[in-house]
Amino acid sequence: TQLLEQSPQFLSIQEGENLTVYCNSSSVFSSLQWYRQEPGEGPVLLVTVVTGGEVKKLKRLTFQFGDARKDSSLHITAAQTGDTGLYLCAGEGTSGSRLTFGEGTQLTVNP
Amino acid sequence: GAVVSQHPSRVICKSGTSVKIECRSLDFQATTMFWYRQFPKKSLMLMATSNEGSKATYEQGVEKDKFLINHASLTLSTLTVTSAHPEDSSFYICSARGPNDQPQHFGDGTRLSIL
């Protein structure tokens, strides 16, 4: 069974601060996705990383996939109140298989 | 982009009734659909995986007779919570994936409240 450990579980910061969320596993993933979810809605895909060492940027969000494809990080620069939400990482063991979700990081950005 | 529609978005019903939740892929053929359950401020927990035209594969601990899944077409899967009880109250989310290792696309979820 593949497991993804996501940390921190809760994060409360002030607007303008930077933050990093981590997902770690002892298993190798063929790809890893990051989602953001608002209350009462389904997760929305932010990015998919597939290559070890890959770095993707989405405005103020930077996603990195570890060289060994066992871990990933999400870094947000100059957080805004609109970044508040539940961030989920999810790994795909083999291409086309089920997703293994991390426990989620509940981010609150205070004005 | 791909859209997955889930209906209803919210349902409140009495204990003992059965509730059906629909998941539709609107602009692609979903060869595989997934059903998840989510508790407040927690991650998604996979309940079952269904492939069109075949029986669903349930995760360990999920009662197949309690949570009936039907995936009769390439655009529709349904989850029926039979004889629902208050402990079945939760947020249920479906996702759909097309052929050729396409990513999963999620519905907006169904808030189920059993009184």
Side-chain angles (χ1 to χ4, degrees):
Chain A
T1 302
Q2 294 180 309
L3 295 174
L4 258 178
E5 295 183 351
Q6 187 172 344
S7 63
Q9 189 175 358
F10 297 97
L11 190 56
S12 181
I13 60 172
Q14 295 300 122
E15 198 169 25
E17 293 184 0
N18 303 329
L19 67 114
T20 303
V21 179
Y22 300 93
C23 272
N24 296 291
S25 176
S26 58
S27 303
V28 176
F29 293 100
S30 62
S31 69
L32 195 139
Q33 284 92 45
W34 284 93
Y35 294 85
R36 178 166 168 266
Q37 185 182 22
E38 303 256 15
E41 298 180 8
V44 175
L45 179 66
L46 296 174
V47 78
T48 300
V49 286
V50 296
T51 305
E54 182 176 7
V55 177
K56 281 191 175 180
K57 292 195 174 187
L58 187 65
K59 296 184 180 178
R60 294 176 293 102
L61 278 60
T62 302
F63 305 86
Q64 187 163 5
F65 202 13
D67 291 339
R69 291 184 292 140
K70 293 182 179 181
D71 54 85
S72 182
S73 64
L74 157 61
H75 183 80
I76 300 179
T77 304
Q80 299 176 357
T81 55
D83 295 328
T84 293
L86 179 67
Y87 289 82
L88 298 159
C89 62
E92 196 166 38
T94 55
S95 186
S97 68
R98 52 178 285 182
L99 290 175
T100 298
F101 277 87
E103 300 96 329
T105 296
Q106 183 62 52
L107 171 66
T108 302
V109 182
N110 303 298
Chain B
V3 178
V4 174
S5 173
Q6 193 171 334
H7 178 80
S9 58
R10 186 179 182 93
V11 58
I12 303 171
C13 59
K14 293 181 179 180
S15 183
T17 58
S18 293
V19 180
K20 181 184 283 188
I21 303 170
E22 292 186 349
C23 182
R24 294 181 184 273
S25 58
L26 298 185
D27 57 357
F28 67 100
Q29 293 186 326
T31 50
T32 307
M33 285 187 170
F34 303 85
W35 287 95
Y36 297 86
R37 184 172 180 175
Q38 186 178 31
F39 293 101
K41 291 192 167 64
K42 296 293 184 181
S43 189
L44 278 67
M45 182 180 70
L46 181 64
M47 299 174 65
T49 302
S50 74
N51 293 296
E52 185 265 337
S54 61
K55 290 184 178 180
T57 302
Y58 289 80
E59 295 299 304
Q60 191 173 7
V62 178
E63 299 176 58
K64 61 179 69 176
D65 294 332
K66 174 75 170 176
F67 299 99
L68 300 178
I69 292 172
N70 184 280
H71 191 168
S73 78
L74 283 172
T75 58
L76 174 64
S77 176
T78 60
L79 167 67
T80 301
V81 183
T82 62
S83 187
H85 291 284
E87 57 266 29
D88 299 323
S89 298
S90 192
F91 193 53
Y92 292 87
I93 306 175
C94 72
S95 72
R97 186 176 65 203
N100 303 321
D101 302 334
Q102 294 177 24
Q104 290 186 34
H105 298 278
F106 287 83
D108 274 340
T110 296
R111 171 71 59 194
L112 175 62
S113 300
I114 308 297
L115 305 177

